[in-house]
Amino acid sequence: MEFSILAESFYKMESTRKRLELTQFLVELFENTPHDIISKIVYLLQGKLRPDFEGIELGVAEKLAIRAISKSSGIPIKKIEDEYRKGGDLGQAASIILEQKTQTTFLVEDITIERVYETLFKIAKLEGSRSQDMKMKYISSLLNDATPLEASYILKILLGTLRLGIAENTVMDALAIAFSGSKENRKSLEHAYNVSSDLGKVAEIIATKGIEGVEKFEIILFNPIRPMLADRVKSEEEAMEKMGIEFAAEYKLDGERVQLHIEGEKVVLFSRSLENISSYYPDIIERIPKAVQADNIILEAEAVAMNENTGEFLPFQELMHRRRKYKIEKAVTQYPISVNLFDVLYCNGKSCLELPYKDRREKLEKVVKEDEFVKYIPMTTIKNKNEIEDFMENGINAGSEGLMLKMMDKPYQAGSRGNYWLKLKREYQNELGDSLDLVVIGGFFGKGRRTGSYGTLLLATYDEDNDTFPSICKVGTGFSDESLDQLYQILHPKVTIKKNPRIISEMEADVWFEPELVVEVVASEITLSPIHKAAEDKIRKGAGLALRFPKFTGKIRVEKAAEDASTNEEVITLYRGQKKVAHDKNLI
Ligand code: ATP
């Protein structure tokens, strides 16, 4: 299939933010795509080559791309850089430059989607000393044969700047319409996506096997399942009201959520955002198979840092020491952990997702043996408010941050946040009722003791509908000298020349960052704001939502991707949940 068809679709899609229109463009594109390349189209649409969990990254630097454009156009690097500075989008700059191409190519090969995809894939796989030259060669060979429009999209994919604003749900709507004739079938697609985390594979199945194929879709060992998430409650009373007569309570440990896929000695670990994190935990890889008594299994656990001498749980930050590429062996002995299991999702070739919680817990305790390193998360059955208060007290004393409450007779709902699971944290008893996980989008240079670091950060929520990061507050309190230092080290390499188009902010920061890092904040309340853009127009026309007295809790949420940050919807729910909404409205 010609790449020009895809480039033209991209062009149309970039020109609209309307979901219905986007869906329509996607349906047309899917209907014209041969079935054997539909998965590739779906990945490319999202600016990827493979599903995220495979960790395939293009990693092409701007400088290299500029050299390649210069090589294939014969136009000097300086001129390309000037053009880039004017617009701030290298893909766009390339298409303008290539219009003025001084070198002519005589034998122009047709460029197909297959060729672009294969070449990009080769580029992603290149490693070693000569890889830069080879990447250059591959990129300029594509640019030689590409039209200016095609070149601009090839570069955007290479640089990771393709932003069509297409949410996964929109892709699923379009797939359902194109291949089953009805948007109603999206539910089945969602299920398949939730258990495989691979939208390309789901597209391929519906294109080749129809909706029946999708309905039969099963868990694939070593493909991560999208995690089930919990709603929050503020008090024991609210929990009793929502959970009914008898339910389970487990400690909510403050570690890293890990999904363990195990078959014999082969173990792969995925984080909450489905990144392969096996290399950070060689101790889990080595020790977990000994505890498992099944041919294959998918488990969920909280990996928690431990004080070896006292057996106490340590806070999440201690796990940061594990996030390194080198000398991991040393970190393993210096910062020991335990694996605290709370669920089983698959066992001996069969899904466990449909089993009620109590059966899953029973199975877990049957097929995994506890030892020094592998434990079940402490659990009890709750029938009244006293029991919940007592269990909370025990949990807090043992170092947990609260409780997870789970309905006994409910299945595991992959990929959704619902009320079958509730979380009750001690800190919720603060005024706002919960902490928020926000994306760092901008920074302001510090003064006085904070000179040389970013003394204040500009933070954003995630807007799922538009795939953007609208600002919600500036935060300048809660930082220790150490955390300021650490944040500077992490954020400095993320500084961009121009504000990323996914950042929505009227405020001018001293520096803009790639929207990637997630930090945790608490605040006293949520108010309507004429400046901030989170949930703009949702509560009142012309106003967004902002946090009042935000404070950094000290937690850098390395295990969360920017798209896992608190969403506009969650902030709206918290806003509505505030008792003094009427009063807030007078605050602007
Ligand atoms: P939070 O910011 O509260 O950690 P989250 O957005 O990461 O929330 P939630 O579903 O809201 O995810 O809260 C559940 C998280 O709590 C899980 O992702 C997991 O890491 C952790 N956790 C700790 N103990 C448990 C448990 N017993 N059952 C499930 N999750 C647990």
Side-chain angles (χ1 to χ4, degrees):
M1 180 171 167
E2 283 157 28
F3 188 69
S4 59
I5 301 179
L6 192 60
E8 272 150 32
S9 289
F10 283 174
Y11 184 71
K12 283 199 282 188
M13 290 177 206
E14 265 186 344
S15 65
T16 180
R17 289 274 142 184
K18 292 197 191 109
R19 184 161 170 183
L20 274 181
E21 234 167 62
L22 274 174
T23 314
Q24 194 45 40
F25 291 147
L26 282 172
V27 172
E28 282 164 24
L29 176 64
F30 292 153
E31 283 174 346
N32 289 319
T33 303
H35 294 171
D36 58 333
I37 60 163
I38 190 111
S39 61
K40 296 188 170 116
I41 297 262
V42 168
Y43 300 132
L44 290 175
L45 275 171
Q46 300 174 293
K48 305 175 188 168
L49 293 177
R50 295 286 303 154
D52 286 339
F53 64 85
E54 290 188 15
I56 295 185
E57 281 182 26
L58 278 156
V60 169
E62 284 178 355
K63 281 220 161 73
L64 185 82
I66 292 173
R67 270 168 55 210
I69 301 168
S70 169
K71 185 162 180 244
S72 80
S73 64
I75 289 170
I77 288 183
K78 168 89 179 47
K79 196 159 173 215
I80 302 170
E81 283 176 346
D82 288 347
E83 192 62 53
Y84 174 32
R85 252 180 235 115
K86 266 193 243 161
D89 177 339
L90 192 51
Q92 206 66 41
S95 94
I96 296 168
I97 290 286
L98 291 170
E99 296 276 7
Q100 320 156 13
K101 205 164 166 174
T102 56
Q103 289 171 354
T104 33
T105 6
F106 295 105
L107 277 175
V108 176
E109 215 186 297
D110 232 8
I111 100 166
T112 60
I113 294 176
E114 290 85 339
R115 180 177 156 205
V116 173
Y117 183 88
E118 296 313 326
T119 313
L120 295 181
F121 205 82
K122 279 190 211 147
I123 293 174
K125 286 274 169 189
L126 280 172
E127 273 176 16
S129 56
R130 288 200 51 236
S131 66
Q132 296 302 311
D133 290 343
M134 290 299 288
K135 281 185 188 176
M136 257 275 286
K137 221 176 105 205
Y138 283 133
I139 301 171
S140 46
S141 86
L142 280 181
L143 296 185
N144 277 344
D145 297 339
T147 63
L149 186 72
E150 289 168 345
S152 82
Y153 288 111
I154 291 172
L155 284 162
K156 283 184 191 187
I157 298 171
L158 275 166
L159 296 165
T161 55
L162 179 73
R163 297 287 169 217
L164 301 174
I166 305 177
E168 281 149 358
N169 283 343
T170 314
V171 178
M172 287 191 264
D173 277 347
L175 287 170
I177 298 168
F179 299 109
S180 79
S182 158
K183 205 162 105 174
E184 298 302 301
N185 286 322
R186 188 181 95 194
K187 275 265 156 286
S188 312
L189 286 160
E190 261 172 32
H191 171 76
Y193 176 52
N194 285 335
V195 302
S196 67
S197 314
D198 186 345
L199 207 49
K201 177 162 269 155
V202 175
E204 185 183 303
I205 300 283
I206 192 164
T208 55
K209 304 207 169 111
I211 197 70
E212 297 75 31
V214 174
E215 276 157 6
K216 287 197 209 115
F217 200 98
E218 283 178 5
I219 293 173
I220 307 162
L221 195 62
F222 304 113
N223 278 25
I225 296 168
R226 299 184 67 226
M228 175 164 178
L229 303 172
D231 248 346
R232 39 176 84 85
V233 278
K234 282 191 194 172
S235 62
E236 281 84 354
E237 290 79 18
E238 193 187 344
M240 294 306 297
E241 243 168 63
K242 292 199 165 145
M243 295 302 282
I245 318 156
E246 193 177 303
F247 55 92
E250 296 173 355
Y251 285 179
K252 184 176 194 310
L253 298 181
D254 186 17
E256 171 159 32
R257 186 173 189 160
V258 183
Q259 197 178 104
L260 306 93
H261 291 233
I262 308 160
E263 186 164 53
E265 293 293 308
K266 181 172 175 192
V267 181
V268 177
L269 310 177
F270 295 104
S271 70
R272 182 190 181 286
S273 54
L274 312 180
E275 187 196 345
N276 185 329
I277 48 167
S278 308
S279 64
Y280 303 142
Y281 296 106
D283 38 356
I284 304 187
I285 308 276
E286 189 194 321
R287 297 171 75 170
I288 191 77
K290 296 183 187 74
V292 170
Q293 294 168 328
D295 294 340
N296 47 51
I297 200 161
I298 302 178
L299 299 166
E300 272 203 307
E302 195 77 0
V304 188
M306 302 288 294
N307 178 329
E308 252 184 332
N309 299 320
T310 62
E312 267 175 322
F313 292 122
L314 299 175
F316 171 77
Q317 283 91 309
E318 294 292 313
L319 288 177
M320 286 283 280
H321 301 288
R322 293 289 188 114
R323 297 231 152 210
R324 52 162 84 162
K325 280 209 179 105
Y326 308 104
K327 302 210 179 130
I328 181 74
E329 303 309 331
K330 200 166 156 214
V332 165
T333 41
Q334 264 180 349
Y335 304 99
I337 56 159
S338 64
V339 173
N340 302 274
L341 298 165
F342 60 82
D343 223 317
V344 53
L345 312 185
Y346 179 87
C347 183
N348 289 330
K350 285 205 196 89
S351 168
C352 302
L353 301 184
E354 292 309 318
L355 296 179
Y357 166 84
K358 62 175 181 316
D359 294 3
R360 298 201 309 279
R361 176 83 191 196
E362 210 172 275
K363 193 177 218 35
L364 174 70
E365 294 184 13
K366 216 158 94 195
V367 292
V368 185
K369 265 193 336 245
E370 277 192 306
D371 58 28
E372 279 287 284
F373 181 70
V374 179
K375 307 272 178 212
Y376 316 129
I377 272 192
M379 183 274 248
T380 191
T381 307
I382 303 282
K383 295 199 195 72
N384 59 50
K385 200 169 141 253
N386 287 346
E387 286 174 347
I388 202 174
E389 279 169 358
D390 289 350
F391 198 57
M392 174 71 116
E393 215 45 52
N394 293 343
I396 298 287
N397 289 336
S400 84
E401 54 175 0
L403 299 179
M404 295 290 295
L405 311 174
K406 302 184 175 179
M407 290 191 186
M408 287 285 187
D409 55 348
K410 296 296 186 220
Y412 186 96
Q413 287 190 309
S416 73
R417 193 184 289 279
N419 54 10
Y420 294 170
W421 284 11
L422 297 179
K423 51 180 172 177
L424 175 64
K425 286 197 221 172
R426 247 304 138 79
E427 69 187 50
Y428 291 176
Q429 293 160 8
N430 76 24
E431 292 161 77
L432 182 57
D434 196 8
S435 57
L436 290 167
D437 293 326
L438 300 172
V439 185
V440 185
I441 54 174
F444 301 87
F445 293 118
K447 298 193 184 82
R449 263 180 56 227
R450 293 189 177 180
T451 310
S453 60
Y454 305 118
T456 302
L457 301 176
L458 183 61
L459 304 179
T461 54
Y462 177 52
D463 177 343
E464 283 180 302
D465 293 336
N466 297 306
D467 194 27
T468 54
F469 301 101
S471 76
I472 185 164
C473 70
K474 265 165 75 169
V475 63
T477 50
F479 299 104
S480 62
D481 289 351
E482 199 195 344
S483 64
L484 281 173
D485 225 37
Q486 202 179 19
L487 282 164
Y488 185 80
Q489 301 302 332
I490 302 176
L491 287 168
H492 183 61
K494 298 188 193 295
V495 172
T496 54
I497 304 173
K498 287 204 70 154
K499 182 166 80 180
N500 184 307
R502 295 170 83 197
I503 294 176
I504 312 294
S505 167
E506 240 171 52
M507 226 170 229
E508 276 303 320
D510 291 342
V511 285
W512 296 108
F513 303 117
E514 281 298 350
E516 290 171 351
L517 187 72
V518 179
V519 295
E520 189 182 80
V521 296
V522 288
S524 67
E525 59 187 332
I526 301 174
T527 59
L528 286 164
S529 158
I531 299 161
H532 288 291
K533 298 286 172 189
E536 194 177 30
D537 295 339
K538 289 279 162 74
I539 306 279
R540 182 187 294 173
K541 197 111 198 93
L545 291 178
L547 297 189
R548 196 147 178 257
F549 303 131
K551 181 172 165 220
F552 175 54
T553 63
K555 273 195 197 172
I556 302 174
R557 307 286 316 246
V558 279
E559 82 287 17
K560 281 197 170 181
E563 291 79 4
D564 297 320
S566 301
T567 59
N568 277 349
E569 284 309 313
E570 287 179 71
V571 176
I572 291 172
T573 311
L574 283 175
Y575 176 79
R576 294 211 164 110
Q578 291 175 151
K579 294 194 186 86
K580 303 173 282 137
V581 170
H583 164 72
D584 286 347
K585 283 187 176 165
N586 298 326
L587 282 168
I588 58 162

